[in-house]
Amino acid sequence: MTEIFTISLIWSTIRLSTPLILAALGGMFSERSGVINIALEGMMLAGAFTAAAVTYAVGSPFVGLVAGMGAGIVIAAIHAIACIRYRADQVVTGTAINILMIGVPGFLSGAFFLSSGSTPQIPKEHLIPWTPIWIAVLLVPLSWYVLYKTPFGLRLRSVGENPEAADAAGVPVARMRYAGVLLSGLLAGIGGAYLSIGQSSLFTRNMTSGRGFIALAALIFGKWRPVQTMLACLLFGLTEAVTIQMQGVVKLPSGEDIPVQFIHMVPYVLTIIVLAGFIGSSRPPKALGIPYQKER
Amino acid sequence: MNLLRELLFPLIAVVAAFIVGGILILIIGDNPLQAYALLFGSALSWPVGIGYTLFYATPLIFTGLAVMVAFRCGLLNIGAEGQLYIGAFATAWVGITFANLSPWLLIPLCFVAAILGGGVWGAIPGVLKARFGSHEVINTIMLNFIAVALLSYFTQYHYKTPGDPIMETVPIGSGAHIARLGKVIHGLPEFIPLNVAFVLALICCGLVYLFLWRTKWGYELRATGTNPSAAEYGGISVRKQIIVAMTISGALAGMVGINEVLGYRYRYYDGFSDNYGFTGIAVALLGRNHPVGVIISALLFAVLQRGGIPVDAFTEHVTKDIVQVLQGTIILFVAAEAFFRGPFAKFGLLKR
């Protein structure tokens, strides 16, 4: 058993947690402002594809990273406009964006790269394996500070808890919610970019493979708070790292592989348990999911 | 007039989505009219195109109904995807385990397994919501992933033919096969997997309609959806309705397994669903949460799915991903209906 718990496990936990931390903290800004964000998956895909395509075309991963953030913001803007301005159902809109973003990267790569859903290989010197990790590391204290110690954070939380009172106090509810959702797009975009130009060297079809939803689970498991959310991401990253390291190494006494499927379930089962209130209670922002209409 | 209004916005949403898709096709340098002609032409050609389109529509009718029943109770079931996998595996398990039973017994047992499997998986988030107040959206998302992992485990470790590189179970007994419609419809070749499950899906539309609008239980379910506090005050147990709605919803989703396992592949195939559960949300929404609307919009999405294949093959740049682009855009426009309501109200075309 000891051979799994090595330096390489820690390193692989950090690498696997990074996109989760970025997306989950993004989701936190959106949900604390009162807008449900199950579109993290789609926003990550947008960031991953755009970052890889632009890096390949321009040859600069930093331009690619910025483009990935931009793509995340564009997708977030669609979510924000539909949910805030047109008061669409936030879960349905999020689902629509996820379906849309399964298609769009494939559609564009078919046109630009004549491939069936992936970008060409990016040369090794054009990858940024470290930058997104540092961004994620710095982001945790930063988002804690922004959320709890700045007027912006206070306003953001107030429109998520009680938009009527916030409005009465002069806080621009819609503008704060736009800010929250767009921030989630920006951060999920970085998370996606890390997958394509940090961890690997190209975009492949559906390369997020559910990480947006694990990030959402971590956000709930972390009770919509930055530090707890990071810890949840590290835990979920660790479970994934363990499954990768265990494969073919650790056997059951009967000589068979340990089924990885059960370890894959851990984040999801934990989230259901914590949401039901068995381990402490995880309470969402009060106005989460409710469109706000100003009294006329 | 009321009916017209019900039809108007879904229709506008579809047309708008096709315009957006058309602009995208134009940008990447293809002819949108040619692409759409290919799409509809192939999907609506007799017999192969229509046969496949109806086959693709079958799971979408089931998942559309599933989402609709939950929605009428004020619940959003994002978990049809997981429920249909559990239903499919359950029906395959019965078909494998009791392979030697007579078809007269085995087929009904397989149907019951699909319904029970999906129903149980749907009931879990219902109970969690009724008992602990935890949100069904999050729980159904989580249960989707749990279902996929669980079934992948059972397929890989317990029900696969040893040495088979494909993640699929051993075949079900031939007594569990249900008839393909090619057997009875003249001119429809039998290689097309359109089967009895399609007829079953249409029957379910009728049953759901009767249940929701012609029975006391359906009335209570809808009352809970319209105004839970008023329903509670009127003596309806909201908690019970939540569990009932989610169970029925899951059972309907589970019936996808009948089409897939008993009528098409004759085994459980890991990861077979082409996002049927999520497309079901679009189907219900576009169909205005009414059984007739569900049939119509399931057919539309099936046309897209079938028609995407020749578009991929016979245009220069357009890939079958255009299907997801159109689907996503349609849901977005249906969800943000106020986007169209604005201009209509402005010109006095719509009075509320």
Side-chain angles (χ1 to χ4, degrees):
Chain A
M1 211 53 190
T2 47
E3 67 260 46
I4 320 173
F5 293 98
T6 55
I7 297 290
S8 85
L9 182 79
I10 297 169
W11 169 228
S12 119
T13 302
I14 292 171
R15 288 189 336 136
L16 293 165
S17 306
T18 295
L20 301 180
I21 292 173
L22 289 162
L25 290 179
M28 184 187 71
F29 282 107
S30 172
E31 303 220 330
R32 285 310 277 269
S33 82
V35 181
I36 299 177
N37 198 339
I38 66 164
L40 288 173
E41 179 84 359
M43 293 172 188
M44 287 180 91
L45 280 169
F49 173 73
T50 313
V54 170
T55 305
Y56 174 77
V58 181
S60 157
F62 291 97
V63 177
L65 181 64
V66 172
M69 296 180 197
I73 292 176
V74 169
I75 299 304
I78 297 176
H79 188 55
I81 292 170
C83 295
I84 300 165
R85 184 177 167 125
Y86 295 110
R87 295 191 297 279
D89 187 294
Q90 297 167 2
V91 173
V92 172
T93 307
T95 308
I97 286 175
N98 288 335
I99 294 180
L100 192 66
M101 291 316 297
I102 296 171
V104 170
F107 183 78
L108 293 178
S109 55
F112 296 138
F113 306 119
L114 305 176
S115 73
S116 64
S118 52
T119 63
Q121 197 84 22
I122 298 161
K124 207 170 173 217
E125 63 272 20
H126 288 163
L127 299 178
I128 37 169
W130 284 102
T131 318
I133 296 181
W134 290 122
I135 296 177
V137 168
L138 293 176
L139 195 65
V140 178
L142 185 69
S143 54
W144 175 83
Y145 181 80
V146 168
L147 203 59
Y148 293 110
K149 299 290 166 194
T150 63
F152 173 83
L154 179 67
R155 291 171 164 198
L156 192 83
R157 285 182 290 130
S158 73
V159 302
E161 289 290 335
N162 192 339
E164 289 80 13
D167 194 10
V171 178
V173 176
R175 208 180 304 164
M176 292 313 296
R177 289 189 167 177
Y178 274 113
V181 179
L182 293 186
L183 265 176
S184 78
L186 181 134
L187 296 181
I190 304 176
Y194 176 64
L195 294 176
S196 65
I197 61 172
Q199 240 176 36
S200 55
S201 56
L202 77 166
F203 175 85
T204 53
R205 182 177 284 274
N206 198 19
M207 84 180 303
T208 52
S209 58
R211 284 191 179 80
F213 292 109
I214 300 190
L216 184 73
L219 175 62
I220 297 159
F221 195 61
K223 305 177 180 180
W224 287 269
R225 290 168 192 199
V227 177
Q228 281 101 318
T229 300
M230 176 201 69
L231 293 175
C233 290
L234 286 171
L235 175 67
F236 294 171
L238 177 69
T239 60
E240 202 185 338
V242 169
T243 52
I244 294 169
Q245 302 246 322
M246 257 183 19
Q247 258 158 354
V249 179
V250 183
K251 308 258 185 213
L252 290 174
S254 59
E256 288 172 31
D257 288 338
I258 294 175
V260 293
Q261 287 92 345
F262 287 102
I263 305 173
H264 282 311
M265 283 181 220
V266 169
Y268 311 115
V269 174
L270 283 178
T271 303
I272 290 180
I273 293 174
V274 81
L275 199 61
F278 290 127
I279 319 175
S281 73
S282 186
R283 190 187 65 78
K286 268 210 189 75
L288 187 61
I290 307 161
Y292 180 66
Q293 187 162 27
K294 230 180 158 92
E295 297 286 331
R296 296 247 164 96
Chain B
M1 192 56 215
N2 207 6
L3 181 70
L4 199 66
R5 188 185 295 155
E6 291 290 305
L7 287 174
L8 185 65
F9 286 108
L11 204 65
I12 295 175
V14 171
V15 172
F18 272 95
I19 292 172
V20 170
I23 294 171
L24 285 176
I25 295 172
L26 213 56
I27 290 174
I28 64 168
D30 264 319
N31 181 351
L33 292 179
Q34 184 213 355
Y36 288 152
L38 275 168
L39 196 151
F40 285 100
S42 77
L44 298 176
S45 66
W46 177 256
V48 177
I50 290 179
Y52 271 105
T53 297
L54 295 181
F55 169 67
Y56 287 140
T58 310
L60 300 182
I61 294 176
F62 284 126
T63 56
L65 285 176
V67 175
M68 184 200 123
V69 169
F71 203 89
R72 285 283 175 185
C73 189
L75 303 161
L76 205 44
N77 181 7
I78 310 279
E81 193 75 5
Q83 292 144 15
L84 68 87
Y85 275 125
I86 298 282
F89 193 88
T91 199
W93 179 79
V94 171
I96 293 165
T97 312
F98 304 104
N100 297 325
L101 283 182
S102 120
W104 294 105
L105 203 58
L106 186 54
I107 290 176
L109 273 181
C110 284
F111 279 24
V112 169
I115 293 166
L116 274 183
V120 166
W121 209 249
I124 297 171
V127 171
L128 286 170
K129 173 141 186 157
R131 176 76 181 74
F132 303 105
S134 51
H135 206 295
E136 78 279 3
V137 167
I138 306 295
N139 281 332
T140 47
I141 291 174
M142 300 302 137
L143 283 164
N144 284 344
F145 287 103
I146 295 173
V148 167
L150 205 59
L151 298 179
S152 145
Y153 163 75
F154 279 115
T155 310
Q156 185 178 347
Y157 288 91
H158 296 287
Y159 289 95
K160 210 158 70 100
T161 314
D164 188 347
I166 304 168
M167 280 284 280
E168 59 184 18
T169 63
V170 294
I172 57 172
S174 59
H177 296 195
I178 54 174
R180 297 196 167 184
L181 294 188
K183 273 207 170 82
V184 280
I185 296 175
H186 185 69
L188 190 70
E190 250 187 85
F191 68 83
I192 293 174
L194 177 64
N195 60 72
V196 172
F198 176 69
V199 182
L200 193 66
L202 295 181
I203 294 172
C204 282
C205 285
L207 290 178
V208 166
Y209 175 80
L210 290 177
F211 169 74
L212 280 180
W213 281 278
R214 293 285 180 266
T215 68
K216 174 175 163 280
W217 305 298
Y219 171 79
E220 291 181 349
L221 193 150
R222 285 185 297 119
T224 306
T226 326
N227 190 341
S229 32
E232 190 82 64
Y233 187 73
I236 296 168
S237 163
V238 170
R239 290 175 174 215
K240 189 184 130 199
Q241 292 307 318
I242 289 172
I243 297 173
V244 168
M246 284 304 294
T247 309
I248 296 176
S249 180
L252 285 162
M255 290 171 83
V256 169
I258 296 172
N259 182 55
E260 176 72 23
V261 176
L262 308 183
Y264 172 39
R265 290 191 206 262
Y266 308 126
R267 51 168 31 108
Y268 175 83
Y269 184 89
D270 197 44
F272 69 83
S273 168
D274 188 7
N275 279 326
Y276 298 141
F278 298 106
T279 312
I281 301 166
V283 169
L285 215 63
L286 187 66
R288 287 281 179 192
N289 292 301
H290 191 280
V292 178
V294 163
I295 297 176
I296 297 171
S297 52
L299 287 173
L300 172 75
F301 285 111
V303 164
L304 291 182
Q305 218 177 337
R306 169 66 192 168
I309 299 162
V311 171
D312 199 316
F314 298 117
T315 59
E316 193 110 7
H317 301 300
V318 186
T319 59
K320 64 178 188 312
D321 299 293
I322 186 70
V323 175
Q324 265 83 36
V325 174
L326 288 171
Q327 272 183 8
T329 317
I330 290 174
I331 313 176
L332 214 49
F333 281 141
V334 173
E337 185 189 282
F339 178 66
F340 302 111
R341 243 177 230 294
F344 270 84
K346 199 186 276 174
F347 298 112
L349 289 170
L350 193 80
K351 295 199 181 80
R352 280 230 102 174

